[in-house]
Amino acid sequence: MGGELYGRFPVFADAFDEVCAALDGQLSGWVEHSVRDVILGEAGDLGQTVFTQAGLFAVETALFRLVESWGVKPDAVMGHSIGEITAAHVAGVLSLADAAAVVAARGRLIQALPSGGAMVAVAASEDEVAGLLGPGVDLAAVNGRASVVLSGVEDAVLAVAAKLAGQGRKTKRLAVSHAFHSVLMEPMLDEFASVLSRVTWSEPKFPVVSNVTGQLVEPGQLTDPQYWVDHVRRPVRFADGVASAAVVGDGDAVFVEFGPGAALSSVVEESAGQGAAYVAALRDGRPEVQTLLTAAAELFVRGVPVDWTGVLPAGAGSGQVDLPTYAFDHEHYWLRTAPAAD
């Protein structure tokens, strides 16, 4: 993922290489292949949690840096699970070195947990599933008013999913290696907290929306290591976060999804309210360069400033063309006035 952008945009390639080098430094001795080679499909298995999380962070960060170089500036940023670490990094909460340390430790520690567990997406509201939660079954995410994810011990989660399906609710088991945001994450939390205590935290330079609360973060919130421990264990309150982000800035909100696909764009509309728009930088199965340039055009026509000299620099196959000529009618329409009266 990101391979076409890597070959087309030097800003993306430089940022991507820098992030991958930082991640490799943190994962040295833990993995066999470089993060860059795995993401670009040259070696290894991107399905391994340690590489999945590292890959998302690398591609998201490089995408942000590329679009940032085009003059696009956010009013606020948010993520979805691992994506919030990217959001915190680009907002200045974590340096690249420290963000790479957090991402690498998070992925490595989760991958080291026993495999198993289950996650199931359910077309139901949080209130509708609340009474079915209990030992072994946790709420992992609230993505929309009628879109939640259950996570936990496999038998318990699947039993709840079957009950909901019997009630006519649409369910889909997710293809994941572990049951994220569930009780099965607890064995890695202490060691993760130890890693978090060794990095340097700063206040964000622009607003960040929290997955944990679904609200704009408050001073001191993102700089508390315990927040990021809770972030692994507690549900992702994405729907609330979208609603909070929608009221930041002036005018109607425009959401841009930076990631390898458009999985989140489909649920943004439900929570953002009327007038909000959403744009995906990349989409599954579509040419990456064309999709990203189309996204930039969509931002521009919605009133977001875009520096086109950065998007299409001289020598990149772009240029100015003359407008077609027009046969004017040569008719004059002067206003005729009478002499002024005395």
Side-chain angles (χ1 to χ4, degrees):
M1 56 185 180
E4 295 175 29
L5 300 181
Y6 187 91
R8 173 65 172 77
F9 298 108
V11 172
F12 181 94
D14 290 346
F16 183 81
D17 284 344
E18 185 180 16
V19 175
C20 288
L23 291 165
D24 284 341
Q26 295 294 330
L27 292 170
S28 178
W30 292 95
V31 295
E32 181 179 356
H33 303 288
S34 73
V35 171
R36 178 189 178 280
D37 289 347
V38 175
I39 298 172
L40 296 181
E42 298 173 3
D45 178 12
L46 188 59
Q48 294 184 50
T49 297
V50 65
F51 286 126
T52 304
Q53 299 201 12
L56 288 170
F57 175 69
V59 171
E60 291 165 356
T61 300
L63 270 171
F64 183 91
R65 296 305 181 202
L66 175 58
V67 176
E68 182 182 49
S69 76
W70 296 347
V72 178
K73 301 182 183 300
D75 292 310
V77 291
M78 63 183 295
H80 191 291
S81 195
I82 185 68
E84 189 167 330
I85 300 178
T86 308
H89 164 57
V90 300
V93 176
L94 289 164
S95 67
L96 177 57
D98 283 337
V102 173
V103 170
R106 193 179 190 271
R108 173 176 57 80
L109 292 171
I110 291 176
Q111 184 165 311
L113 293 171
S115 60
M119 298 184 75
V120 177
V122 182
S125 69
E126 180 178 2
D127 290 341
E128 289 169 332
V129 303
L132 300 174
L133 304 177
V137 183
D138 290 307
L139 185 66
V142 182
N143 292 327
R145 289 191 296 272
S147 178
V148 300
V149 178
L150 305 179
S151 181
V153 178
E154 183 174 11
D155 290 345
V157 171
L158 296 183
V160 171
K163 184 173 183 179
L164 288 165
Q167 297 173 356
R169 299 293 181 181
K170 184 178 179 180
T171 66
K172 179 182 179 181
R173 182 169 181 175
L174 305 181
V176 293
S177 60
H178 294 79
F180 302 104
H181 300 280
S182 79
V183 66
L184 299 183
M185 294 291 102
E186 292 186 358
M188 56 82 68
L189 297 182
D190 287 344
E191 188 172 350
F192 188 48
S194 178
V195 173
L196 295 171
S197 68
R198 298 194 294 269
V199 303
T200 300
W201 306 90
S202 301
E203 291 295 335
K205 298 176 182 178
F206 44 75
V208 178
V209 179
S210 166
N211 279 173
V212 176
T213 66
Q215 306 295 321
L216 288 171
V217 298
E218 299 177 354
Q221 192 170 14
L222 294 186
T223 58
D224 181 359
Q226 184 59 43
Y227 172 88
W228 297 99
V229 176
D230 294 340
H231 186 266
V232 173
R233 177 64 180 87
R234 292 174 60 179
V236 178
R237 308 205 67 86
F238 187 72
D240 291 339
V242 169
S244 297
V247 298
V248 177
D250 298 325
D252 295 331
V254 180
F255 289 82
V256 189
E257 181 174 356
F258 291 138
L264 298 177
S265 294
S266 61
V267 298
V268 166
E269 183 178 22
E270 181 181 337
S271 300
Q274 293 184 346
Y278 52 92
V279 177
L282 298 176
R283 291 184 180 274
D284 296 337
R286 299 188 188 181
E288 291 181 349
V289 174
Q290 178 182 341
T291 303
L292 181 59
L293 292 177
T294 300
E298 289 184 22
L299 291 177
F300 183 70
V301 299
R302 293 184 182 279
V304 177
V306 176
D307 178 8
W308 290 105
T309 61
V311 180
L312 302 170
S318 61
Q320 293 182 341
V321 296
D322 292 331
L323 289 173
T325 58
Y326 178 77
F328 289 95
D329 294 334
H330 301 290
E331 293 288 337
H332 294 166
Y333 296 93
W334 303 117
L335 296 176
R336 300 184 183 278
T337 59
D342 293 336

